[in-house]
Amino acid sequence: EEIRAYRVAKLAGTGLERFEELARTNRAGAALFNEAMAGATRMQARTLLAACDFSGISTLMDVGGGLGELISAVLEEYPAMQGIVFDLPHCEESAVLNLAASGIAGRCKFIAGSFFEAVPAGADAIIMKFIMHDWNDERCVQILRNCHRSLKAGARLLVIDRIMPERLEATPDHLSVALADLNMLRGPGGRERTEREHRELLAKGGFRVVRIAPAGRLGVIEATPE
């Protein structure tokens, strides 16, 4: 399902970002992509909650949060936490409905915008799931620097992505990440990265990696702004 969704997102260059162009020219395709990402998150939520440390976070912002599936799971687990979903305008209507259906609409709001332009302030932690692997290094640094500008000292950044092994072996887990890497290249034009590459990218964006925790076939990278 995820692979098919990223194939939908593969578009010819028109001057707009791929996902903005998808929403403008193919509303059904954009809806398919958002639902596929929400479905994948739904299946991964319990594993991610066990791997991520959300203690001490009063307001969590999901940058590129789509329909709000991930932040709904987090806020259900942490009833004192406030949330923000930040994503492109075409996600808003479905995200608001999803947040209401999850029973957390009173504690979570949607803010529309592009993370390539700016990331809103107001959160003491940012989470990004399957965002970095969509883009090349230059675009990722742009996103990270915008996140850095929105966070205060002592804040936290949680990046959830696959972590490519430094040396691939003939195992199901390694095959999975290798196929995902090809899918990112073929689809939105991004890539999966090794731990070293993740650390280097975050450093260029102004962040220091604190810990990396496994979450099934994903990794949770926790960093703080320098």
Side-chain angles (χ1 to χ4, degrees), residues 7-215:
R7 285 174 181 165
V8 169
K10 182 176 175 60
L11 301 164
T14 61
L16 294 175
E17 297 300 344
R18 291 178 181 86
F19 299 108
E20 291 178 284
E21 176 68 2
L22 180 63
R24 188 179 71 84
T25 62
N26 186 352
R27 292 179 64 86
L32 169 64
F33 180 85
N34 287 334
E35 290 294 344
M37 296 301 100
T41 297
R42 202 172 296 123
M43 292 187 290
Q44 298 157 348
R46 300 315 306 176
T47 301
L48 293 174
L49 282 167
C52 292
D53 177 15
F54 294 101
S55 59
I57 298 173
S58 59
T59 301
L60 177 68
M61 176 162 52
D62 190 348
V63 170
L67 304 188
E69 192 68 33
L70 177 57
I71 209 159
S72 293
V74 176
L75 265 61
E76 287 172 12
E77 190 77 9
Y78 294 82
M81 188 184 293
Q82 301 288 314
I84 300 168
V85 177
F86 178 65
D87 211 325
L88 294 169
H90 74 271
C91 299
E92 182 169 7
E93 182 178 356
S94 295
V96 169
L97 291 173
N98 195 36
L99 296 172
S102 299
I104 52 103
R107 293 189 288 129
C108 189
K109 63 183 177 181
F110 184 96
I111 299 178
S114 168
F115 47 47
F116 289 122
E117 296 174 4
V119 172
D124 53 336
I126 284 175
I127 192 167
M128 293 194 291
K129 177 177 178 287
F130 284 175
I131 301 298
M132 296 291 97
H133 74 171
D134 284 342
W135 309 100
N136 63 28
D137 287 2
E138 181 181 2
R139 299 301 261 162
C140 285
V141 170
Q142 189 176 0
I143 297 168
L144 289 168
R145 287 179 177 169
N146 285 335
C147 289
H148 189 280
R149 292 186 188 101
S150 79
L151 293 172
K152 297 179 181 179
R156 293 154 66 187
L157 174 70
L158 297 166
V159 174
I160 299 171
D161 242 319
R162 296 179 181 89
I163 298 180
M164 175 75 78
E166 292 286 352
R167 180 183 176 85
L168 288 170
E169 299 176 358
T171 67
D173 284 352
H174 286 201
L175 175 61
S176 174
V177 73
L179 290 174
D181 187 42
L182 291 172
N183 186 40
M184 291 305 104
L185 176 63
R186 183 182 184 278
R191 55 181 293 210
E192 306 296 350
R193 294 175 173 87
T194 65
E195 178 180 330
R196 176 182 54 81
E197 289 168 333
H198 277 292
R199 288 180 180 274
E200 290 174 353
L201 198 62
L202 283 156
K204 290 178 182 177
F207 290 91
R208 177 179 62 86
V209 174
V210 175
R211 64 189 287 263
I212 300 178

